[in-house]
Amino acid sequence: MHRLLVPLVLLLVALASVAGGAVWFIQRDRQALVEQFGRDRQAQLEEAASGVARSLEDLGDNLRFASELLAQPGSAGDHHNELRALLEAVGQYRAIAVLGPDGEERLFLVDHKSRHLPREAVHPPALADTARQALTAPVGHVIPSHPIEGASSGWMRVFAIRIDSDLPGGGGAVAILVDTEPLFAPLRMVTVEESTRVLLLGAHGTPAPMSDPALASWHRRLEDPEGKLVPGLRTLVARMRAGAAGTLRLNEAEATRLGLGPADAVATFRPLRMRGEATWSVATLSSTSALRAHERTLVLRLSLAALLVAVFLVAFGTYVVLANRREVALRETLRHAARFAHLHEKTQKILDHIPTGILALDREGSISAVNQALRARLPATAVGSTLPEAFPTAPTSAVQRLTALVLAARDKGAVRSLHGEPLSLFNEKDQFNVHAVPLEHGDGEASTLLVLEDLSNVRMLEDQLLRAEKLATVGVLAAGVAHEIGTPLGIIRGHAEYMLQKVGGVDHPQGRGLNAIVTQIDRVSRIIRQLLDLSRLQPARAGVVPLAPLVRGLQELLDVEAERRHVHFELDVPERLPSLAADADQLQQVLLNLTLNACDACSAGGHVRLSATACMAGDAQAVEIRVQDDGRGIAPEHLHQVFDPFFTTKKRGQGTGLGLSVVAQIVRNHGGQVGVESEPGRGTVVTLRWPVAAASGWEERHAV
């Protein structure tokens, strides 16, 4: 404990030093704070005075405008109307007088608000006197008057300007009696603070009514002996009369005499110009008592903060001593937490990477989690939804069976299962093993697991195994037939052809029979060759094959076959399709088989169409080839058998059932896809998705 106390004492000493240094720093930079205080007051004064300066500029512009109007040719009535409009437009103007060059009054107007007043109130002597002073002033120079004695308001002033005119009898001066109080109203915003006073000097250096009474009183005594008691104010007034701008600091004693309180004061001043003439000047005197109070408050807060930090450090030291006793238990808790997190992560990864789909359901039956195997097959909003919302395309009966299974497992507290059920959750051929697993210690978010084991891959493997067995049987049969029957058939055909030549051809009475023997032997040979092709399909040596030229090469043959069967054949293969990765001979075999089958399916007058378009097969580019007819179609129960060996919908003796099997094997051998859609009486569409040739060129795929 003693060793802990020593660092705490050192920390307290350091904190006290920091607090003392902060106080010293504040006191040292007091001058900078006062200067900043002065700049803030200067900015405040500039903002208020800018509006006053604009008003004075407007007054000067109006005077110049009036003089220019009077300098123009016109009757007295015209000038009277123009000045009347100016007088009524500006609310601060009370009267306008126009004097000739001889100083005699030629025109006098009073605004409507002042008509009831006596003439002396709106026509003071200063009006004519100021106008006469303007007669000798430079052109454009505005002459302001002294405060008007006897006026009802100390704000009344006269402003006059000379009229410059070359007309006979022209010239003279115009004077306006103005209530200047509204012009200087923006300066009142700087007197909102109680510690700020305003001193406003008129054009002749006398305080205006807005000036603070105490400051105005001291201004009148500046020339008396008492004026020596306020040297700062004397300097301020001198600079204001000179039209200067800036700041000035007054000491505490002088600020107290001026009524600003026991603290230093900062004076800010600037002129209010009228077109370059320093006609007025304004100053604000602000006490720094608030700044001093702010310094004391800041020092107090720093000291209090240091004390609080010291108390906190003592409390923290005590807490460290007490927490040291819990270190072992906390370390063990962390070890168990890390172990639990590891097990949770491992479990999550196992669930995510097994191929079986798993859903976690909460107590209300909503989905709280989905593993990776099922996430891609469900809507993006599956988490948080119910089972019917998660399987929107599934039949209602299938979702009801899942819900009933979950409820049964939860009620019994044991696993409930469905085996090999055709639930059709995602498509019509779906079959699943379903297990509902209640969690004994499940929380609110996961109380039951629903395991969906998709049997589609198993069924596909079974189909592939069955097809492989059929192909193996066909291979054995084809090899035996080719070996045992092929040679005798060849001998028989040779003798039949020899005898046909001896009798003179088919025109001989026995020639037709001999020709029938040759034709039937050729048919048997074709069947044997198809069996051999199916059982010993050669590896696809895929190259770059443009589809359009290949189809054009077949078009003549296809047109002949279509014409022989009285079927209309249509070809729609664009020239700019991507080239295919294919064995050209095998691709020709596929297209011939499909097109001839389509022609066979049509009655006279039917239509067959071969078309191709670019498409995407997953993430890879492909070409979709469609062979469409309007023939008799295929029954729904036979659609899944059309690619099986020896299955055919043709009449006995018209087909072997091997053509589409060879087509399917060639397409799959090239990495493509084949599908068939048909409706009895409406026709059939066979669709191939053939991969596009890669930029690398040749690629060999081996038959499976």
Side-chain angles (χ1 to χ4, degrees), residues 420-565:
E421 291 293 325
L423 295 177
S424 303
L425 296 178
F426 302 104
N427 58 60
E428 296 180 357
K429 299 181 181 180
D430 282 344
Q431 287 189 351
F432 293 90
N433 287 337
V434 186
H435 310 282
V437 184
L439 300 179
E440 183 177 354
H441 302 290
D443 56 9
E445 292 187 358
S447 62
T448 309
L449 296 181
L450 188 63
V451 182
L452 302 175
E453 183 181 357
D454 193 351
L455 301 180
S456 301
N457 292 334
V458 176
R459 296 291 183 266
M460 183 178 66
L461 291 175
E462 290 176 353
D463 292 342
Q464 291 178 353
L465 180 60
L466 181 60
R467 186 180 297 110
E469 291 177 353
K470 289 182 179 180
L471 290 176
T473 303
V474 170
V476 174
L477 177 62
V481 168
H483 183 269
E484 299 296 336
I485 299 178
T487 301
L489 285 178
I491 295 172
I492 294 172
R493 188 181 188 284
H495 283 77
E497 284 185 338
Y498 177 76
M499 294 176 66
L500 182 61
Q501 292 176 358
K502 286 295 185 180
V503 298
V506 294
D507 295 332
H508 191 273
Q510 304 298 326
R512 294 182 180 179
L514 293 172
N515 186 62
I517 293 173
V518 173
T519 302
Q520 294 302 316
I521 290 175
D522 288 342
R523 182 171 178 271
V524 173
S525 298
R526 284 197 303 272
I527 294 173
I528 294 174
R529 186 169 60 254
Q530 287 179 339
L531 288 172
L532 291 174
D533 288 343
L534 183 64
S535 61
R536 297 186 301 182
L537 189 65
Q538 295 300 314
R541 303 192 63 83
V544 179
V545 179
L547 182 59
L550 183 141
V551 174
R552 285 199 305 271
L554 296 175
Q555 186 172 6
E556 182 177 355
L557 175 61
L558 296 176
D559 288 340
V560 171
E561 291 296 327
E563 183 178 356
R564 186 171 65 84
R565 292 169 169 81

Side-chain angles (χ1 to χ4, degrees), residues 88-168:
E88 299 299 338
V90 183
Q92 295 89 356
Y93 297 173
R94 295 290 180 261
I96 298 179
V98 180
L99 275 64
D102 55 357
E104 294 298 326
E105 184 177 292
R106 292 185 176 181
L107 191 62
F108 177 73
L109 297 89
V110 179
D111 72 327
H112 68 281
K113 298 178 183 178
S114 305
R115 291 176 183 174
H116 64 283
L117 298 177
R119 179 179 175 84
E120 293 77 12
V122 295
H123 197 303
L127 194 61
D129 294 342
T130 307
R132 292 188 182 97
Q133 294 178 29
L135 290 174
T136 59
V139 176
H141 187 82
V142 178
I143 303 298
S145 71
H146 288 276
I148 299 177
E149 297 180 1
S152 59
S153 170
W155 289 99
M156 301 301 292
R157 297 287 191 279
V158 176
F159 295 87
I161 192 169
R162 175 182 166 188
I163 302 173
D164 185 22
S165 176
D166 296 332
L167 297 175

Side-chain angles (χ1 to χ4, degrees), residues 208-490:
M210 183 180 288
S211 300
D212 178 70
L215 296 178
S217 175
W218 277 103
H219 181 274
R220 289 190 295 271
R221 291 181 286 171
L222 286 178
E223 303 303 328
D224 299 336
E226 291 181 283
K228 297 180 180 180
L229 299 176
V230 286
L233 181 61
R234 291 169 61 92
T235 304
L236 174 63
V237 170
R239 293 185 181 180
M240 291 174 67
R241 289 175 178 173
T247 60
L248 184 66
R249 186 171 178 179
L250 307 179
N251 59 37
E252 181 177 344
E254 185 172 354
T256 304
R257 293 190 187 96
L258 295 175
L260 296 174
D264 292 349
V266 174
T268 60
F269 53 95
R270 63 153 289 176
L272 302 174
R273 302 184 182 278
M274 180 184 291
R275 189 68 67 86
E277 303 168 16
T279 56
W280 300 75
S281 183
V282 62
T284 61
L285 288 82
S286 302
S287 174
T288 61
S289 57
L291 186 62
R292 181 173 297 181
H294 175 73
E295 292 177 359
R296 288 195 295 266
T297 302
L298 184 59
V299 172
L300 180 61
R301 288 180 179 178
L302 285 173
S303 302
L304 181 60
L307 178 61
L308 291 176
V309 171
V311 172
F312 169 76
L313 287 175
V314 173
F316 179 74
T318 305
Y319 170 77
V320 170
V321 173
L322 296 176
N324 201 20
R325 300 176 183 177
R326 300 173 55 194
E327 182 180 359
V328 176
L330 181 60
R331 191 173 298 165
E332 187 68 16
T333 301
L334 290 175
R335 189 178 67 83
H336 285 297
R339 178 64 178 169
F340 175 76
H342 173 70
L343 292 175
H344 180 271
E345 181 182 5
K346 183 165 66 174
T347 303
Q348 187 67 37
K349 288 184 177 180
I350 291 174
L351 291 176
D352 266 347
H353 289 83
I354 61 175
T356 301
I358 300 176
L359 292 172
L361 303 174
D362 59 18
R363 293 174 182 172
E364 285 74 26
S366 297
I367 299 174
S368 58
V370 183
N371 77 331
Q372 186 174 352
L374 200 57
R375 191 178 301 126
R377 306 182 69 180
L378 294 180
T381 58
V383 176
S385 63
T386 60
L387 287 176
E389 295 169 344
F391 298 96
T393 61
T396 304
S397 58
V399 179
Q400 289 176 348
R401 294 198 66 183
L402 293 181
T403 304
L405 188 70
V406 171
L407 293 176
R410 191 178 298 169
D411 293 340
K412 300 295 183 181
V415 178
R416 290 291 182 267
S417 302
L418 299 174
H419 295 283
E421 291 293 325
L423 295 177
S424 303
L425 296 178
F426 302 104
N427 58 60
E428 296 180 357
K429 299 181 181 180
D430 282 344
Q431 287 189 351
F432 293 90
N433 287 337
V434 186
H435 310 282
V437 184
L439 300 179
E440 183 177 354
H441 302 290
D443 56 9
E445 292 187 358
S447 62
T448 309
L449 296 181
L450 188 63
V451 182
L452 302 175
E453 183 181 357
D454 193 351
L455 301 180
S456 301
N457 292 334
V458 176
R459 296 291 183 266
M460 183 178 66
L461 291 175
E462 290 176 353
D463 292 342
Q464 291 178 353
L465 180 60
L466 181 60
R467 186 180 297 110
E469 291 177 353
K470 289 182 179 180
L471 290 176
T473 303
V474 170
V476 174
L477 177 62
V481 168
H483 183 269
E484 299 296 336
I485 299 178
T487 301
L489 285 178

Side-chain angles (χ1 to χ4, degrees), residues 685-703:
V685 178
V686 179
T687 303
L688 309 179
R689 289 182 180 268
W690 205 288
V692 169
S696 57
W698 295 88
E699 179 183 2
E700 179 175 338
R701 289 187 172 90
H702 296 280

